[in-house]
C-alpha cells in the first residue's frame, strides 16, 4: 500500500491536578521524558488525565527545551463507586503489579495490610515504596484512560484495619466462603486478601467479628495478587450486571 498509513494513536499525558480549559501548563520531568520517547511533535493533540477526575484534551507546544500543554477541554468526572482492596503487604514487586491492574479494574483504594505472615517476607512492601506505587497508579490511569487513580494508603496493621467502621459490603477472600453475588449496586465494597500463606486463625477471627463475610474467588488456592484482581473483577462485573439488569 502506497501513501497514507495508519495514524499514530493520540498520546495521553498526566497534568497537575486542578487544570482548566484555556490554561497553559508546564509538564513534569516524567511527562517530558514520555513525550520524547513517543517522538511527539510541536502542536500534537493529546489526551489529558490527572488521576483526580480530569478527562480532557489539549495541544502540546515546545517552550525552550521542554514541553507545555495548552488545555482545550477539561471535564471533571465523579468518583466511581468505592472499591477497597485491603491486601497483605507481601512482595513489593508483585504488589506494584496489583496496583497497576487494580486501576484498570476500577478499584478506588488499596490498603497494604501488615499481617503476621507478611512480616516474614524479606521483599515485603514498606513505607519507603509508597511513592513509587502511587506513581505507578497514575501511570496506569494514563494507560487505561481511567479518570481516577487508585489511592494507595500507608501500611496498616490488620487488627487496626478490622476495627474501622466501614460502610457497605465487607468481604474476606476465603476458599471456604460462598461465591460473590452475581449483581451489585453502587454500595461501597471492601475486600480483605491475605498475604503469602494466608491469614493466621486469630486474624481471620478478628475479621469475622467485624462482619467480614467469607467469599470464595476460585476453586483453587490463589496467590495474593491473583486473589486481589479476581476480587476486583468480580465486583466490577457484578456492578455492570446491576446497572444493565
Amino acid at each position: 500500500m502506497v501513501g497514507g498509513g495508519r495514524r499514530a494513536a493520540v498520546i495521553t499525558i498526566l497534568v497537575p491536578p486542578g487544570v482548566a480549559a484555556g490554561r497553559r501548563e508546564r509538564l513534569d520531568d516524567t511527562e517530558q521524558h514520555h513525550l520524547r520517547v513517543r517522538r511527539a511533535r510541536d502542536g500534537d493533540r493529546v489526551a489529558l488525565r490527572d488521576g483526580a477526575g480530569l478527562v480532557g484534551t489539549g495541544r502540546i507546544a515546545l517552550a525552550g527545551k521542554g514541553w507545555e500543554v495548552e488545555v482545550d477541554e477539561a471535564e471533571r468526572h465523579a468518583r466511581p463507586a468505592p472499591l477497597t482492596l485491603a491486601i497483605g503487604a507481601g512482595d513489593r514487586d508483585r504488589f506494584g503489579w496489583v496496583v497497576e491492574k487494580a486501576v484498570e479494574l476500577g478499584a478506588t483504594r488499596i490498603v497494604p495490610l501488615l499481617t503476621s505472615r507478611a512480616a516474614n517476607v524479606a521483599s515485603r512492601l514498606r513505607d519507603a515504596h509508597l511513592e513509587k506505587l502511587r506513581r505507578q497508579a497514575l501511570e496506569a490511569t494514563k494507560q487505561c484512560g481511567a479518570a481516577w487513580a487508585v489511592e494507595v494508603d500507608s501500611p496498616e496493621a490488620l487488627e487496626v484495619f478490622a476495627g474501622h467502621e466501614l460502610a457497605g459490603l465487607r468481604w474476606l477472600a476465603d476458599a471456604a466462603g460462598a461465591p460473590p453475588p452475581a449483581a451489585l449496586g453502587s454500595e461501597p465494597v471492601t475486600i480483605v486478601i491475605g498475604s503469602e500463606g494466608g491469614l493466621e486463625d486469630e486474624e481471620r477471627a478478628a475479621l469475622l467479628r467485624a462482619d467480614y463475610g467469607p467469599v470464595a474467588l476460585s476453586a483453587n488456592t490463589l496467590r495474593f495478587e491473583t486473589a486481589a484482581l479476581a476480587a476486583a473483577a468480580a465486583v466490577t462485573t457484578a456492578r455492570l450486571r446491576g446497572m444493565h439488569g
Side-chain angles (χ1 to χ4, degrees):
M1 178 175 165
V2 179
R6 183 173 295 175
R7 189 176 176 83
V10 173
I11 300 171
T12 300
I13 59 174
L14 293 171
V15 293
V19 302
R23 287 176 53 174
R24 193 178 179 97
E25 298 285 344
R26 184 79 174 181
L27 300 178
D28 68 17
D29 291 344
T30 301
E31 296 309 300
Q32 299 278 349
H33 176 71
H34 177 60
L35 290 175
R36 288 194 294 271
V37 170
R38 293 292 303 270
R39 297 183 180 181
R41 295 177 296 181
D42 190 54
D44 278 356
R45 191 165 182 81
V46 291
L48 309 177
R49 298 290 187 275
D50 68 355
L54 173 74
V55 175
T57 58
R59 291 191 182 275
I60 51 173
L62 277 171
K65 295 183 178 180
W67 291 99
E68 295 181 348
V69 61
E70 184 77 34
V71 181
D72 294 332
E73 299 177 357
E75 296 181 355
R76 291 285 163 185
H77 287 211
R79 286 182 180 272
L83 170 55
T84 297
L85 302 177
I87 311 165
D91 178 79
R92 59 182 175 269
D93 291 333
R94 288 158 59 194
F95 207 98
W97 186 81
V98 169
V99 168
E100 293 178 4
K101 302 307 175 187
V103 173
E104 299 176 26
L105 289 168
T108 59
R109 180 184 176 213
I110 291 180
V111 183
L113 293 179
L114 301 175
T115 67
S116 295
R117 291 176 180 170
N120 297 321
V121 179
S123 60
R124 69 185 179 278
L125 177 70
R126 303 172 192 268
D127 284 338
H129 307 130
L130 291 176
E131 183 177 349
K132 180 180 178 181
L133 283 180
R134 289 164 181 159
R135 184 69 201 190
Q136 285 178 276
L138 283 171
E139 290 293 330
T141 302
K142 179 169 67 176
Q143 295 297 323
C144 75
W148 288 85
V150 67
E151 297 177 9
V152 183
D153 287 14
S154 298
E156 184 172 20
L158 181 142
E159 294 80 4
V160 174
F161 183 81
H164 294 322
E165 290 292 333
L166 300 176
L169 301 174
R170 294 178 230 180
W171 298 354
L172 167 62
D174 191 319
L184 289 170
S186 59
E187 65 266 53
V189 179
T190 302
I191 310 167
V192 173
I193 296 104
S195 55
E196 288 93 340
L199 300 174
E200 298 285 4
D201 289 345
E202 57 268 29
E203 293 172 329
R204 186 175 183 278
L207 291 165
L208 294 176
R209 287 195 298 272
D211 294 327
Y212 281 82
V215 173
L217 301 170
S218 172
N220 303 315
T221 300
L222 303 179
R223 298 177 77 169
F224 79 84
E225 67 270 32
T226 309
L229 299 186
V235 172
T236 298
T237 302
R239 282 175 169 165
L240 287 171
R241 289 197 189 101
M243 274 194 295
H244 299 292

